[in-house]
Amino acid sequence: MTAHQPWGVSVVIPGHEGIGASVDAAVIDSPSGNPRALPEEYPPVGAEVDAVVQQLRRYTSPAWARLSLRSQDLECFQWGCDFCDTPVVLSPGGDGVTLDVRSADGPGSTAIVAHRECLAIRLHTRSLEPARIRSVGRKP
């Protein structure tokens, strides 16, 4: 943790100091039961903690990582599918995939999160990619 902010905390990811990173108060466990952690519940500045990458944005430079400190996310990370808007598990063994969307016209990219099947069924019937989407990252 590098600094406390009204919205959460600024952080540095060791080994990736060139990437901006932050944790919103809504994804910090609140011992008091609030939906957003109170500033006094934030980890102390200088603390090293485990986190999950919630979102990585490279739409503008530098890239920006939004992290989660919620204990439930450390156990099983879920995010809304960009196709059907239901939760998709992005932790190992889950059914989620992420797509990095880039253009040859210039820098920047964004990420799309999807269930494997939501993505696979939206491709043209002649595409060879649905089978690959269903198997990428899975052990044979």
Side-chain angles (χ1 to χ4, degrees), residues 22-138:
S22 61
V23 182
D24 187 83
V27 291
I28 298 172
D29 286 329
S30 172
S32 63
N34 286 313
R36 296 178 60 82
L38 302 171
E40 58 269 19
E41 297 172 325
Y42 297 172
V45 172
E48 286 192 20
V49 298
D50 290 331
V52 171
V53 175
Q54 182 180 36
Q55 194 174 55
L56 182 60
R57 295 279 177 167
R58 290 182 292 233
Y59 193 72
T60 58
S61 190
W64 195 268
R66 294 181 65 193
L67 307 176
S68 172
L69 300 181
R70 288 187 294 205
S71 55
Q72 70 184 34
D73 289 343
L74 293 173
E75 294 174 23
C76 179
F77 182 65
Q78 297 184 51
W79 194 258
C81 174
D82 286 312
F83 292 105
C84 72
D85 198 34
T86 61
V88 56
V89 175
L90 293 169
S91 296
D95 60 342
V97 293
T98 58
L99 293 79
D100 199 29
V101 180
R102 298 174 183 263
S103 172
D105 293 330
S109 68
T110 191
I112 303 295
V113 174
H115 293 98
R116 290 172 187 273
E117 200 58 25
C118 285
L119 176 59
I121 64 174
R122 284 170 172 81
L123 298 178
H124 193 277
T125 55
R126 289 193 308 255
S127 174
L128 300 175
E129 298 309 313
R132 293 181 180 131
I133 290 166
R134 291 179 179 109
S135 66
V136 69
R138 297 216 167 139

